[in-house]
């Protein structure tokens, strides 16, 4: 059947025209008064549309639109919102540079809003907040991702509490996305080679305030059915589909930006999925400048940024060499390198024929800047990937950290934002990078803060009851069971929330280990405790699904279904209710398996206190006055012992500290000590875990230096990159003959503090010149445990002279520390174009 297709848009009366623009910009996702405009149009339609502003406009009747166009109260609200939207787009921002050269941010998923379901969990929510915050700050940043036809699955629990999945199709024509067209009016498309077949993708744009997110979509008639399915689901399919997705994201993403006329001067790989972009950028420069692979690599390396989110080796994407050969067999020829060297780009040990191709390794090798997503995760990442820099001390492995953050106006509830705006003043909205504004928490009265929080808890309880009622109706529960939902939860009880991906290491069942102690807490009528759980297990994660079932069966077995509930289909809507309406946010991962986590930050900014294992972000943020730590950051070999110890610690905290403090009321009925903690928590976490702090860190540490590197490289037509490539060829040829022949010093067995130590090194430098090597004295306290230098200092040695074919280097340092001290000498590369001297294999110790 031959069907002609076209798009029909709603016909809005002239006074309501601004609604179209507002609906198609995700600025509204963090401006509740903008969302209110669509709720006011028709509340029932708003619910039917699944809270989609674009779909709401299409579903509201013309009669209702005509009626609203004459409502002066509505039009005044619309004018106020639209004026504020225009002011936001034209306002002064933190970044005041140009937008000619951009940072392109690549991520597999983006959690922007409920109305755009192209995310699964933490990584996507972080990416969404990253784009929103870059808009607030005026950064020259664009996002690249996928327009998934089905996105992530919708979770449904059957009568036995077992997770089932459905994959509803997304209707893009009623969502805040728009297909991009070229100057000829035709839809923009790019193509990538997939093992000899062309995959064609069209490009969609999502407007996010002043920023843009571009999404690739292969579901078009030019493609064969299997290629159309590449952008069908997020994290679905087998390894081959993942390979195809990652080729499309990395290589296709760069081509999409070119097609849009955008120059990705610097690229940020959010996780290893996009690492193939490094190869495409190298290929482009080779073709454009007639460079060798090494020259092009040195041109790209200073402008690549890579963020790793995975603290366990198994979580990093690896491909079998046979699959790499299928999809990349012609790439070595294109790049002018051998197959062995090409595959070596994705191996820690390039000569190990049994090692698979790792996307994280590729990203680390092609990026000058790399980071973990919390302080502890930086430590874990350096330990995990130290094999890439043999001989480099662990604390010098070039992986930094930028702790994640959250976008406050997206995640702080509308009622709380209203309160904060009133006390913080207009600066809070207009200057979001002025984080000191959170110090004004002390201005808010205890009564107002507590009343605002209690309203959120009431709304959370009402929301959860509605969700459970719908769930029971769907599974065909008896009428009596459905009526029981009215008694589920209490709007006045201490509410503990546990909501996250149901992976086994997150231990969603830790609180169930001692049923007797837990039941004592939840059945206490004087000081009741209630628990709300939510989260999805990966479709193939059977143990994760079993955890969910265990929680539901526990509540039924002990007849506490009114006090322990599980809310199905955890998404951004559920998350917003839980992070703003709970009293305590529970987090129980096995340390150090949580890279960062951000749900606890969202809760904290709403005044919800965290009770968590010392892992991820909480490991650096925890202070006794803002929440509770389960344990002291211990790590265990015996997992059963760990579960026993940490579950007991959690019960102890609840029984002795959390429950008594919550129910300890002053004469006016307020829990004053609890409220004090809420204020401290909001003040401290609002400043330290804001996404604006995170983006300032990324900008100052990585984005601005990378853009500066790009401009410098381009200015001299990449002469610096060519020079650096030639330098490394020379260094490689001379490396084996480089030797630290002799060390001399005036050290005596016992030195006095303040004495001057002179160290002299004699080097055989082969063909290298003194200005081409960095010779350092590496010195510090020597550990009695393993005779290694700890907390080392590095002092560059001066070249003195050449004699007898040896180069003499010398340095004088003061003996500042007492105890057992030691020193040695090392050689590192030295070149003006090096971002850091730690290049794989180039470090030589005395």
């Amino acid at each position: 059947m031959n069907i002609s297709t076209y798009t029909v848009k709603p016909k809005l009366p002239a006074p309501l025209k601004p609604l179209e623009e507002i609906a198609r910009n995700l600025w509204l996702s963090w401006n509740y008064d903008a969302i209110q405009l669509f709720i006011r149009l028709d509340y029932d339609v708003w619910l039917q549309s699944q809270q989609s502003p674009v779909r709401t406009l299409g579903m509201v009747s013309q009669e209702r639109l005509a009626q609203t166009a004459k409502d002066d109260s509505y039009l005044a609200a619309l004018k106020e919102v639209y004026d504020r939207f225009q002011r936001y787009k034209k306002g002064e921002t933190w970044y005041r540079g140009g937008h000619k050269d951009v940072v392109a941010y690549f991520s597999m998923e983006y959690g922007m809003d409920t109305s755009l379901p192209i995310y699964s969990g933490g990584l996507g929510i972080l990416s969404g907040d990253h784009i929103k915050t870059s808009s607030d700050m005026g950064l020259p940043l664009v996002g690249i991702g996928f327009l998934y036809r089905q996105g992530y699955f919708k979770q449904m629990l059957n009568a036995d509490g077992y997770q089932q999945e459905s994959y509803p199709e997304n209707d893009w024509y009623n969502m805040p996305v728009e297909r991009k067209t070229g100057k000829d009016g035709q839809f923009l498309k790019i193509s990538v080679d997939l093992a000899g077949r062309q995959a064609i993708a069209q490009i969609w744009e999502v407007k996010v305030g002043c920023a843009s997110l571009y999404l690739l979509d292969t579901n078009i008639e030019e493609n064969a059915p299997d290629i159309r399915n590449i952008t069908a689901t997020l994290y679905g399919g087998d390894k081959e589909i993942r390979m195809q997705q990652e080729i499309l994201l990395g290589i296709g993403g760069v081509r999409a930006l070119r097609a849009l006329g955008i120059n990705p001067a610097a690229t940020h790989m959010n996780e290893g999925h996009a690492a193939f972009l490094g190869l495409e950028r190298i290929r482009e420069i080779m073709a454009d400048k007639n460079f060798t692979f090494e020259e092009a690599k040195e041109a790209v390396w200073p402008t690549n940024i890579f963020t790793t989110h995975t603290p366990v080796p198994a979580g990093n994407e690896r491909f079998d060499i046979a699959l790499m050969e299928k999809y990349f067999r012609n790439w070595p020829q294109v790049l002018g390198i051998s197959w062995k060297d090409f595959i070596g780009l994705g191996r820690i040990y390039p000569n190990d024929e049994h090692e698979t191709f790792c996307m994280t390794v590729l990203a680390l090798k092609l990026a000058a800047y790399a980071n973990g997503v919390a302080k502890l995760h930086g430590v874990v990442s350096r330990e995990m990937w130290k094999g890439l820099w043999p001989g480099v001390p662990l604390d010098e492995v070039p992986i930094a950290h930028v702790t994640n953050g959250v976008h406050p106006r997206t995640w702080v509830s509308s009622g709380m934002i209203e309160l904060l705006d009133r006390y913080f003043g207009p600066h809070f909205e207009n200057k979001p990078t002025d984080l000191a504004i959170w110090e004004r928490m002390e201005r808010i009265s205890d009564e107002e803060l507590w009343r605002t929080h209690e309203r959120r808890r009431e709304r959370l309880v009402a929301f959860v009851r509605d969700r459970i009622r719908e769930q029971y109706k769907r599974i065909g529960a008896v009428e009596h069971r459905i009526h029981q939902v009215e008694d589920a939860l209490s709007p006045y009880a201490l509410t503990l929330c546990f909501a996250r991906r149901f992976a086994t290491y997150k231990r969603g069942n830790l609180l169930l280990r001692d049923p007797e102690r837990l039941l004592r807490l939840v059945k206490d009528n004087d000081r009741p405790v209630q628990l709300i759980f939510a989260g999805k297990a990966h479709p193939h994660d059977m143990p994760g699904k079993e955890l969910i079932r265990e929680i539901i069966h526990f509540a039924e077995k002990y007849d506490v279904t009114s006090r322990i509930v599980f809310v199905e289909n955890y998404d951004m809507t559920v998350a917003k209710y839980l992070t703003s309406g709970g009293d305590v946010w529970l987090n129980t991962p096995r340390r150090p398996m949580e890279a960062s986590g951000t749900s606890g930050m969202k809760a904290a900014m709403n005044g919800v206190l965290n009770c968590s294992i010392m892992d991820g972000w909480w490991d650096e943020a925890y202070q006794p006055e803002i929440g509770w730590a389960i344990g002291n950051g211990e790590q265990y070999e015996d997992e059963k012992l760990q579960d026993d110890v940490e579950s007991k610690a959690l019960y102890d905290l609840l029984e002795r500290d959390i429950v008594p403090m919550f129910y300890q009321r002053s004469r006016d009925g307020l829990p004053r000590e609890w409220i004090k903690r809420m204020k401290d928590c909001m003040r401290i976490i609002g400043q330290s875990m804001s996404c604006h702090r995170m983006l300032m860190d990324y900008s100052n540490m990585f984005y601005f230096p990378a853009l500066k590197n790009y401009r410098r490289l381009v200015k001299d037509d990449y002469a610096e990159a060519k020079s650096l490539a030639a330098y490394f060829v020379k260094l490689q040829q001379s490396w084996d003959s480089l030797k630290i022949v002799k060390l001399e010093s005036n050290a005596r067995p016992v030195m006095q503090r303040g004495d001057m130590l002179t160290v002299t090194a004699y080097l055989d430098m082969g063909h290298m010149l003194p200005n081409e090597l960095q010779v350092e004295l590496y010195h510090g306290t020597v550990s009695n445990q393993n005779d290694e230098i700890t907390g080392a200092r590095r002092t560059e040695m001066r070249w003195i002279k050449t004699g007898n074919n040896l180069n003499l280097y010398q340095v004088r340092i003061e003996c500042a520390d007492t105890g057992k001290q030691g020193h040695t000498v090392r050689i590192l590369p030295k070149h003006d174009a090096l971002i850091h001297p730690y290049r794989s294999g180039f470090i030589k110790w005395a």
Side-chain angles (χ1 to χ4, degrees):
M1 192 189 326
N2 187 13
I3 300 176
S4 300
T5 62
Y6 41 88
T7 306
V8 178
K9 289 192 172 183
K11 188 178 179 184
L12 293 176
L16 301 183
K17 284 285 184 202
L19 280 175
E20 176 84 32
E21 190 183 339
I22 294 169
R24 292 191 171 275
N25 192 309
L26 288 181
W27 172 84
L28 62 73
S29 68
W30 68 92
N31 286 275
Y32 188 68
D33 52 355
I35 291 168
Q36 278 286 104
L37 295 172
F38 298 90
I39 294 173
R40 279 179 69 179
L41 276 178
D42 190 320
Y43 183 64
D44 291 334
V45 166
W46 171 253
L47 293 180
Q48 287 165 27
S49 76
Q50 295 172 312
Q51 302 178 21
S52 165
V54 176
R55 194 179 288 125
T56 297
L57 287 183
M59 290 169 66
V60 172
S61 68
Q62 283 303 135
E63 291 77 21
R64 175 65 187 142
L65 290 172
Q67 191 184 359
T68 309
K70 294 173 186 163
D71 181 340
D72 57 351
S73 156
Y74 185 92
L75 294 178
L78 173 57
K79 182 180 187 308
E80 191 179 325
V81 169
Y82 190 65
D83 287 351
R84 195 152 60 81
F85 178 41
Q86 297 306 317
R87 281 198 305 275
Y88 173 83
K89 289 199 290 184
K90 292 171 188 159
E92 195 176 86
T93 57
W94 178 76
Y95 176 75
R96 297 198 180 112
H99 285 70
K100 183 167 131 315
D101 303 320
V102 305
V103 177
Y105 179 87
F106 288 67
S107 185
M108 205 70 163
E109 49 172 310
Y110 290 88
M112 309 294 303
D113 186 57
T114 309
S115 65
L116 192 65
I118 56 169
Y119 62 94
S120 76
L123 182 77
I125 300 298
L126 176 80
S127 303
D129 283 6
H130 201 107
I131 302 293
K132 291 175 185 180
T133 309
S134 75
S135 166
D136 287 347
M137 292 168 63
L139 289 172
L141 185 138
V142 298
I144 292 285
F146 286 151
L147 191 77
Y148 295 103
R149 198 170 78 233
Q150 297 168 330
Y152 205 49
F153 68 89
K154 189 175 176 187
Q155 179 195 49
M156 298 172 296
L157 302 179
N158 67 14
D160 189 41
Y162 191 75
Q163 173 181 297
Q164 296 173 314
E165 299 88 25
S166 69
Y167 292 86
E169 297 274 328
N170 286 319
D171 173 14
W172 299 124
Y173 299 93
N174 277 311
M175 289 188 178
V177 294
E178 196 170 325
R179 275 192 289 185
K180 296 302 290 177
T181 53
K183 288 175 183 167
D184 57 1
Q186 299 297 308
F187 293 125
L188 277 182
K189 289 171 186 170
I190 57 98
S191 71
V192 292
D193 177 81
L194 296 178
R197 302 167 72 205
Q198 289 301 303
I200 299 165
Q202 58 185 353
I203 307 165
W204 299 72
E205 181 182 15
V206 182
K207 287 189 166 67
V208 187
C210 306
S212 286
L213 167 62
Y214 296 104
L215 302 172
L216 302 176
D217 167 27
T218 59
N219 186 28
I220 52 178
E221 56 192 23
E222 291 101 311
N223 289 325
D226 62 320
I227 289 177
R228 291 181 76 153
N229 279 334
I230 292 173
T231 55
T233 57
L234 174 58
Y235 305 136
D238 57 17
K239 274 285 184 190
E240 186 146 14
I241 288 176
R242 287 296 284 271
M243 168 70 86
Q244 293 170 346
Q245 287 184 332
E246 294 179 14
I247 290 171
L248 182 64
L249 180 64
I251 297 171
V254 173
R255 292 177 186 178
L257 291 168
R258 297 285 180 219
L260 289 158
I262 294 168
N263 176 34
T267 50
H268 184 173
M269 299 168 264
N270 189 40
E271 200 48 285
H273 307 126
F276 291 139
L277 69 80
L279 300 178
E280 173 64 7
R281 294 187 72 203
I282 289 169
R283 184 201 64 78
E284 279 187 339
I285 290 177
M286 288 179 71
D288 188 37
K289 299 286 177 188
N290 202 23
F291 277 12
T292 65
F293 171 77
E294 291 301 334
E295 289 167 342
K297 190 175 88 168
E298 297 305 342
V300 164
W301 183 74
T303 64
N304 275 343
I305 301 124
F306 168 61
T307 299
T308 174
H309 292 259
T310 315
V312 287
N316 291 272
E317 189 83 82
R318 285 185 173 274
F319 293 116
D320 288 337
I321 302 305
L323 196 59
M324 285 298 299
E325 191 157 10
K326 178 176 176 181
Y327 284 89
F328 284 92
R329 192 61 198 149
N330 67 331
W331 270 79
Q333 192 180 344
V334 171
L335 299 176
I337 58 176
S338 69
W339 174 252
K340 185 186 171 193
D341 286 346
F342 179 79
I343 287 298
L345 291 169
R347 284 176 169 160
I348 298 175
Y349 308 106
N351 295 323
D352 180 357
E353 293 296 320
H354 301 291
E355 190 181 340
T356 51
F357 189 95
C358 179
M359 296 296 281
T360 304
V361 172
L362 177 65
L364 286 168
K365 285 188 176 181
L366 296 183
Y369 306 99
N371 70 285
V373 287
K375 188 178 179 181
L376 177 62
H377 184 233
V379 174
V380 171
S381 298
R382 288 190 285 278
E383 176 64 45
M384 265 177 74
W385 302 110
K386 64 185 178 185
L388 283 167
W389 295 275
V392 173
L394 192 59
D395 62 343
E396 292 180 66
V397 167
I399 300 176
H401 81 272
V402 174
T403 303
N404 283 344
V406 298
H407 186 251
R409 296 190 90 85
T410 293
W411 294 105
V412 178
S413 72
S414 56
M416 192 65 80
I417 282 285
E418 209 174 284
L419 182 68
L420 298 180
D421 277 340
R422 202 159 70 241
Y423 282 92
F424 288 7
H427 232 50
F428 183 48
E429 181 178 10
N430 302 332
K431 292 256 168 60
T433 51
D434 179 9
L435 300 173
I437 204 89
W438 286 91
E439 292 293 335
R440 296 184 180 181
M441 275 307 302
E442 293 309 315
R443 297 182 178 186
I444 301 173
S445 71
D446 288 0
E447 291 80 2
E448 279 196 279
L449 183 62
W450 188 244
R451 203 160 55 239
T452 303
H453 178 64
E454 287 205 302
R455 277 200 296 270
R456 288 310 309 177
R457 195 189 313 112
E458 287 165 11
R459 293 190 67 179
L460 168 62
V461 168
F463 171 78
V464 171
R465 285 174 179 169
D466 280 347
R467 278 295 183 99
I468 296 172
R469 196 181 297 112
E470 290 303 313
Q471 185 179 328
Y472 282 179
K473 283 179 183 173
R474 183 178 47 71
I475 61 176
V478 292
E479 201 64 34
H480 164 68
R481 182 98 186 268
I482 294 169
H483 283 309
Q484 278 183 327
V485 173
E486 298 306 326
D487 291 327
L489 306 178
S490 158
Y492 312 108
L494 172 61
T495 305
L496 276 54
C497 295
F498 180 98
R500 53 203 10 92
R501 188 162 54 87
F502 263 74
T504 48
Y505 79 85
K506 292 181 185 272
R507 298 188 295 177
N509 61 346
L510 191 68
L511 205 49
L512 313 184
R513 283 186 78 78
D514 189 337
E516 198 178 313
R517 287 181 84 173
L518 179 56
L519 292 170
R520 242 192 343 259
L521 288 165
V522 299
K523 287 186 169 181
D524 185 336
N525 290 325
D526 295 327
R527 301 191 307 182
V529 174
Q530 58 195 14
L531 283 120
I532 303 175
F533 290 90
K536 296 174 176 179
H538 188 279
H540 304 312
D541 182 4
M542 297 309 157
K545 290 183 179 185
E546 199 51 49
L547 278 182
I548 295 171
R549 199 162 153 269
E550 186 185 338
I551 291 164
I552 290 161
H553 280 230
F554 182 95
E556 288 171 353
K557 178 181 176 181
Y558 294 105
D559 194 25
V560 285
T561 51
S562 64
R563 294 275 169 90
I564 300 177
V565 301
F566 193 100
V567 183
E568 67 180 8
N569 203 39
Y570 184 42
D571 63 3
M572 285 182 80
T573 302
V574 177
K576 284 181 181 182
Y577 276 99
L578 292 175
T579 53
S580 63
D583 297 300
V584 176
W585 195 258
L586 278 180
N587 191 23
T588 53
R590 286 192 200 286
R591 176 186 165 110
M593 293 179 74
E594 178 149 284
S596 173
T598 56
S599 58
M601 300 174 187
K602 297 159 196 159
M605 283 188 199
N606 279 287
V608 178
L609 304 180
N610 277 262
C611 178
S612 173
I613 297 288
M614 295 286 277
D615 197 10
W617 74 282
W618 191 239
D619 181 68
E620 68 197 80
Y622 167 69
Q623 297 174 32
E625 61 268 28
I626 66 169
W628 295 273
I630 305 166
N632 294 307
E634 305 90 345
Q635 286 169 225
Y636 296 76
E637 293 293 321
D638 183 337
E639 290 188 353
K640 185 181 181 303
L641 174 67
Q642 180 180 10
D643 292 349
D644 285 341
V645 170
E646 291 179 342
S647 63
K648 285 186 174 110
L650 176 52
Y651 292 126
D652 287 347
L653 281 173
L654 287 166
E655 291 164 354
R656 297 175 192 172
D657 203 350
I658 297 173
V659 174
M661 188 189 293
F662 182 83
Y663 285 107
Q664 184 189 334
R665 306 291 163 116
S666 56
R667 278 184 300 180
D668 53 10
L670 293 176
R672 296 279 180 183
E673 179 57 30
W674 190 278
I675 295 168
K676 182 182 183 310
R677 285 202 179 203
M678 287 175 68
K679 285 185 176 178
D680 285 341
C681 177
M682 292 172 76
R683 174 177 56 80
I684 291 167
I685 302 304
Q687 293 179 74
S688 62
M689 297 301 155
S690 160
C691 214
H692 298 88
R693 185 273 310 152
M694 180 185 92
L695 258 288
M696 285 191 280
D697 286 350
Y698 271 114
S699 298
N700 293 322
M701 289 167 67
F702 307 140
Y703 292 168
F704 297 162
L707 288 172
K708 192 177 171 187
N709 295 340
Y710 172 80
R711 289 174 194 132
R712 196 178 65 244
L713 283 162
V714 172
K715 196 175 175 185
D716 66 6
D717 200 27
Y718 295 100
E720 204 176 69
K722 290 185 85 168
S723 163
L724 188 56
Y727 167 78
F728 274 118
V729 170
K730 181 180 178 183
L731 188 63
Q732 184 77 57
Q733 289 165 351
S734 303
W735 193 249
D736 290 341
S737 59
L738 264 181
K739 288 182 185 69
I740 301 167
V741 176
K742 187 169 63 168
L743 288 186
E744 291 177 349
S745 79
N746 66 339
R748 301 181 301 278
V750 177
M751 305 278 282
Q752 299 287 321
R753 178 186 270 167
D755 285 353
M756 297 306 292
L757 175 74
T758 303
V759 180
T760 308
Y762 297 86
L763 273 62
D764 180 350
M765 291 171 49
H767 298 295
M768 301 303 290
L769 301 173
N771 65 345
E772 294 177 327
L773 294 172
Q774 186 163 311
V775 182
E776 292 181 340
L777 184 72
Y778 187 85
H779 55 103
T781 303
V782 176
S783 159
N784 286 326
Q785 192 179 357
N786 52 17
D787 261 359
E788 286 184 1
I789 295 173
T790 57
R793 294 191 184 95
R794 301 174 289 281
T795 308
E796 190 162 358
M797 301 181 75
R798 262 181 338 114
W799 178 81
I800 305 296
K801 63 179 181 178
T802 305
N804 299 328
N805 292 326
L806 294 179
N807 282 269
L808 189 146
Y809 281 79
Q810 202 169 68
V811 70
R812 288 185 85 220
I813 59 164
E814 184 183 345
C815 295
D817 297 327
T818 59
K820 190 179 180 183
Q821 301 294 306
H823 64 260
T824 186
V825 170
R826 66 184 190 179
I827 305 172
L828 289 162
K830 186 176 186 178
H831 190 284
D832 290 342
L834 271 176
I835 310 304
H836 61 73
Y838 308 109
R839 294 294 283 262
S840 185
F842 292 116
I843 184 166
K844 192 152 279 191
W845 295 86

